[in-house]
C-alpha cells in the first residue's frame, strides 16, 4: 500500500526550530518529487515547498513565506523527506502535509499523509 | 506568482442536482509543449487531507465517481458535480502546478440545500 506518514509536529515557542518527517512506503521513493503543504486552522491550503527527485537533481523550491527559514531535504535510502523549520513564527501554525509527484507528473498529488500539527505559541 | 480565484466561495445545492465551481488563473497554466493544463482539483472534508479528484484539468483520478468532471483550458476551469450526493459535502480547491510557487484557489464550500 502506498502511504505517507508525517511526524514531528508539536508545540514550539516563536523563534525556535522544529523538524518534520514524511516517511514513505509502498513506492519507489527516489523516483518521486516530494512536496510539503500546510493549512492554518480554518484556512485554505498553502504550498510550502518541494524537493525534486533524484533524477532531477534533488533540488528544492520554496514559497516566499518560508524561504530562508525552512529547508527541505530527503534521504532516499530511508524513504524519508524532511522539513526543517527555523525561526518559527505564530503564522506558521498549521497542519503540515506531505505528498508526492512523479516524473512527468505521473501519480502527482494522489497520495497525502494525514498531516502533523505544528503550533507556534509562547 | 499565478493567482487562482475560485467562485463562488460557497454554494448550497439540492441532493441530486448539479454543483458548478469555477477557477480562474491570472495567467495560462497550459504548457504548450505537451498541451496539458497544469491544474488539479481536490476535495477536502473536515479533519482529512485533500483528496485528488481531477488532474490535467479534466482527467478523473482513479476511483473518483464519474459524477465529478473537470473542464477548461488556459486560464478558466470548471469542476462540475452532477447528481450531488450527501457525501460530496466538502470544500473544493483548485491548484496550479505550472510554475512554483504552486498556488491554490481560496476554496469553495459545497453544502446541501
Amino acid at each position: 500500500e502506498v502511504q505517507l506518514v508525517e511526524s514531528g509536529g508539536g508545540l514550539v515557542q516563536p523563534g525556535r526550530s522544529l523538524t518534520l518527517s514524511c516517511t514513505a512506503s509502498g513506492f519507489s521513493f527516489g523516483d518521486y518529487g516530494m512536496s510539503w503543504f500546510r493549512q492554518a486552522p480554518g484556512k485554505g491550503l498553502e504550498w510550502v515547498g518541494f524537493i525534486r527527485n533524484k533524477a532531477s537533481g534533488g533540488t528544492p523550491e520554496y514559497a516566499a513565506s518560508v524561504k530562508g527559514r525552512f529547508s527541505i531535504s530527503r534521504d532516499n535510502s530511508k524513504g524519508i523527506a524532511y522539513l526543517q523549520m527555523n525561526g518559527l513564527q505564530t503564522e506558521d501554525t498549521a497542519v503540515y502535509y506531505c505528498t508526492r509527484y512523479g516524473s512527468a507528473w505521473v501519480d502527482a498529488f494522489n497520495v497525502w499523509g494525514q498531516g502533523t500539527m505544528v503550533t507556534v505559541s509562547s | 506568482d499565478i493567482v487562482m480565484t475560485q467562485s463562488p466561495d460557497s454554494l448550497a445545492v439540492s441532493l441530486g442536482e448539479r454543483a458548478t465551481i469555477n477557477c480562474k488563473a491570472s495567467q495560462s497554466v497550459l504548457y504548450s509543449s505537451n498541451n496539458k493544463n497544469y491544474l488539479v482539483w481536490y476535495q477536502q472534508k473536515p479533519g482529512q487531507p485533500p483528496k485528488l479528484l481531477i488532474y490535467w484539468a479534466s482527467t478523473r483520478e482513479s476511483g473518483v465517481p464519474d459524477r465529478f468532471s473537470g473542464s477548461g483550458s488556459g486560464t478558466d476551469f470548471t469542476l462540475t458535480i452532477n447528481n450531488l450526493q450527501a457525501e460530496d459535502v466538502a470544500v473544493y480547491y483548485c491548484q496550479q502546478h505550472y510554475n512554483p510557487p504552486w498556488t491554490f484557489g481560496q476554496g469553495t464550500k459545497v453544502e446541501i440545500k
Side-chain angles (χ1 to χ4, degrees):
Chain A
E1 179 191 7
V2 176
Q3 196 172 10
L4 296 170
V5 177
E6 302 94 342
S7 59
L11 174 63
V12 60
Q13 293 178 328
R16 304 299 290 264
S17 299
L18 199 63
T19 299
L20 306 183
S21 299
C22 171
T23 302
S25 58
F27 65 97
S28 182
F29 180 77
D31 292 339
Y32 286 78
M34 297 300 296
S35 186
W36 288 92
F37 294 84
R38 67 183 181 183
Q39 188 169 36
K43 302 297 184 183
L45 295 161
E46 179 187 15
W47 173 71
V48 173
F50 66 66
I51 186 165
R52 295 176 175 86
N53 65 8
K54 192 168 46 176
S56 299
T59 52
E61 299 282 348
Y62 301 99
S65 58
V66 307
K67 196 169 185 177
R69 299 188 299 123
F70 289 13
S71 175
I72 299 175
S73 60
R74 62 189 299 157
D75 186 332
N76 292 325
S77 66
K78 294 182 178 178
I80 302 176
Y82 300 98
L83 177 64
Q84 181 171 352
M85 305 182 292
N86 299 324
L88 282 161
Q89 304 165 356
T90 54
E91 51 265 38
D92 296 318
T93 293
V95 176
Y96 285 74
Y97 297 102
C98 63
T99 185
R100 68 175 186 175
Y101 64 96
S103 298
W105 305 101
V106 170
D107 288 335
F109 316 122
N110 62 354
V111 179
W112 290 65
Q114 282 300 309
T116 188
M117 182 72 203
V118 173
T119 302
V120 184
S121 174
S122 54
Chain B
D1 297 3
I2 300 175
V3 177
M4 309 298 289
T5 304
Q6 287 181 230
S7 61
D9 290 335
S10 65
L11 73 162
V13 177
S14 300
L15 288 172
E17 297 299 308
R18 176 182 300 166
T20 301
I21 302 169
N22 299 302
C23 174
K24 187 173 184 65
S26 61
Q27 63 188 75
S28 177
V29 298
L30 175 64
Y31 197 42
S32 57
S33 65
N34 59 8
N35 201 38
K36 290 189 181 297
N37 289 282
Y38 283 44
L39 187 285
V40 298
W41 287 98
Y42 299 102
Q43 174 194 68
Q44 189 179 32
K45 298 181 179 180
Q48 295 184 18
K51 174 187 175 182
L52 179 67
L53 296 176
I54 303 286
Y55 60 96
W56 299 138
S58 60
T59 303
R60 199 178 305 112
E61 170 68 3
S62 175
V64 173
D66 61 7
R67 64 179 181 274
F68 291 91
S69 63
S71 62
S73 184
T75 61
D76 292 282
F77 302 91
T78 300
L79 175 70
T80 302
I81 312 171
N82 288 311
N83 185 23
L84 190 80
Q85 302 295 299
E87 62 262 33
D88 301 334
V89 169
V91 179
Y92 294 83
Y93 295 93
C94 61
Q95 178 220 322
Q96 65 81 19
H97 57 103
Y98 180 84
N99 266 337
W102 297 344
T103 47
F104 288 84
Q106 76 275 22
T108 297
K109 187 173 186 178
V110 174
E111 299 172 309
I112 303 297
K113 186 186 292 182

